[in-house]
Amino acid sequence: MPDLTTRPPAAAAPVSDAEFARLMARLGGFESAPRLAVGVSGGGDSLALTLLLHRWATERGGALLALTVDHALRPESAAEAAGVAQTMARIGVPHRVLRWEGEKPHAGLQAAAREARHRLLIAACVEAGVLHLALAHNQEDQAETLLLRLSRGSGVDGLAGMAPSRSAGPIRLIRPCLDLPHERLLATCRAAGLDWVEDPSNQNPRFARARLRAVGALLADEGLTAERLAETARRAARARAALDRATADLLAVAASLRPEGWIRLDPAPVMDAPEEIALRALTRCLTVVGGGARPIRDAAVERLYGELRTGLERGRTLAGCRALRRRGAVLIAREAEAATDRRVVAPGECVWWDRRFTVAPSAARRSPVEVARLGVSGWSRVVAEKPELRRLDLHATVRETLPGLWSDGRLLAVPTLGFAGDDQPMTDHVRFSPALPLAGPAFPVVLASGGII
């Protein structure tokens, strides 16, 4: 019998267009002529995904937009982004560079950079009218995610890793390459004659993912290969999907989501449900109303659950939300002090404000407006001009966290209330667009055999 341990590994095969088409078909939910965006850093994974997506979309009469985020964390980052632009021009893909402006935090830099990257990418998709944003996470990334979450004591949700498809407010975020090894994506670049750059942070031992990569071979020797870890994540995702469905069924009975961005929750069905499902339902409500920018601590939700059992005599503030009793139900609304997002928006531009509302000032406006919460002073202006709006059955917390359109401190409009100052016609548009849906699977699972749960 030959010694298989000494045989050199076979060269990784490039990903074929037919194989990639099958991966995309498993995700589903595309237009007949699909328009997508892809986050491309210039690394081999994202370049390969861009190449494959470009061919896939073009074959179907669609289009692809490549987006590069320049985090401005290294002096050479601008030149690297320009290099990506040259590569995109070479393969015929429209490209934009998005720069992360402002001061950078000293602590939690990777998390802050990741949040800024997602915010910039989503905003660019909204501006371009694109519904699908593709990211190039691969099999090794999924394995590292599982190990990181295992080290932090994560439960089923964490061990399920990254979802191949999920809602991200006004867009859908997709990861077609989760089942593909890194080497196969690099082989795809080589086959197309594309060069890529390596991010030095991938080898920086300051970061947990880099430390995991450094011991990858040792873990594989113990059976913890990327393929096996990714398969474990897929099985956990199957369990997460089942729990998610039970949670959606409970919320369909217990919760009512209002267009002003708040939830009326009937506590009786929640208290009758299994505790795990009830806790998930509360977490989902808080995520939808609060914007979901940060993970919600289990202990905080458990305290809220305990207080619901005893009547929630006093209101609670958690996860950027206020929860309080109102007319026999529980009102969950955005916390006013947490709605700090302020955006200057050009006429006709569309933004995702506070991770809750898509806001599009009228193209007929002559100058940009600032989108910020209505607040107490804004509400006073509203009822001074339109006293009949006092009859609206909205709690003060809900009113104060609605998006208002401002200019030089003067309130111009609150489209959610149908209010336009100085009796101007209502031509601005606002729609509640939470980061996650209240009902329905938030974490679809792609099975190896195809299809989505």
Side-chain angles (χ1 to χ4, degrees), residues 275-317:
E275 184 173 345
E276 174 65 19
I277 304 303
L279 291 170
R280 286 172 175 272
L282 291 173
T283 300
R284 180 76 64 80
C285 290
L286 294 167
T287 301
V288 167
V289 171
R294 295 280 189 278
I296 301 174
R297 294 184 179 276
D298 291 343
V301 182
E302 288 165 358
R303 284 195 295 272
L304 175 60
Y305 176 75
E307 292 178 13
L308 281 178
R309 281 214 169 277
T310 58
L312 191 64
E313 295 179 3
R314 301 176 62 184
R316 287 274 296 151
T317 300

Side-chain angles (χ1 to χ4, degrees), residues 99-233:
R99 186 175 173 85
W100 183 21
E101 304 287 359
E103 292 187 22
K104 310 301 188 291
H106 296 291
L109 181 59
Q110 276 205 323
R114 184 167 55 251
E115 181 179 334
R117 181 167 61 250
H118 278 226
R119 173 174 52 80
L120 290 167
L121 289 171
I122 290 172
C125 288
V126 171
E127 182 180 344
V130 169
L131 299 178
H132 318 279
L133 171 64
L135 301 178
H137 296 108
N138 59 39
Q139 189 177 82
E140 284 85 351
D141 294 324
Q142 183 73 299
E144 290 165 5
T145 297
L146 186 146
L147 288 172
L148 283 170
R149 293 178 179 178
L150 184 64
S151 71
R152 296 166 185 165
S154 292
V156 170
D157 283 4
L159 299 183
M162 293 178 283
S165 172
R166 71 172 179 85
S167 169
I171 68 159
R172 183 171 71 126
L173 195 152
I174 60 173
R175 296 182 175 94
C177 300
L178 281 180
D179 285 340
L180 295 175
H182 174 63
E183 282 302 320
R184 291 202 61 199
L185 294 171
L186 297 187
T188 304
C189 291
R190 293 189 191 100
L194 294 180
D195 295 324
W196 62 88
V197 296
E198 297 290 350
D199 185 344
S201 68
N202 289 337
Q203 309 300 325
N204 190 333
R206 284 178 53 204
F207 304 123
R209 283 188 183 271
R211 295 194 295 273
L212 284 175
R213 291 185 188 111
V215 297
L218 180 62
L219 293 173
D221 287 343
E222 298 300 324
L224 294 174
T225 62
E227 183 178 11
R228 186 168 293 176
L229 288 168
E231 184 60 32
T232 298

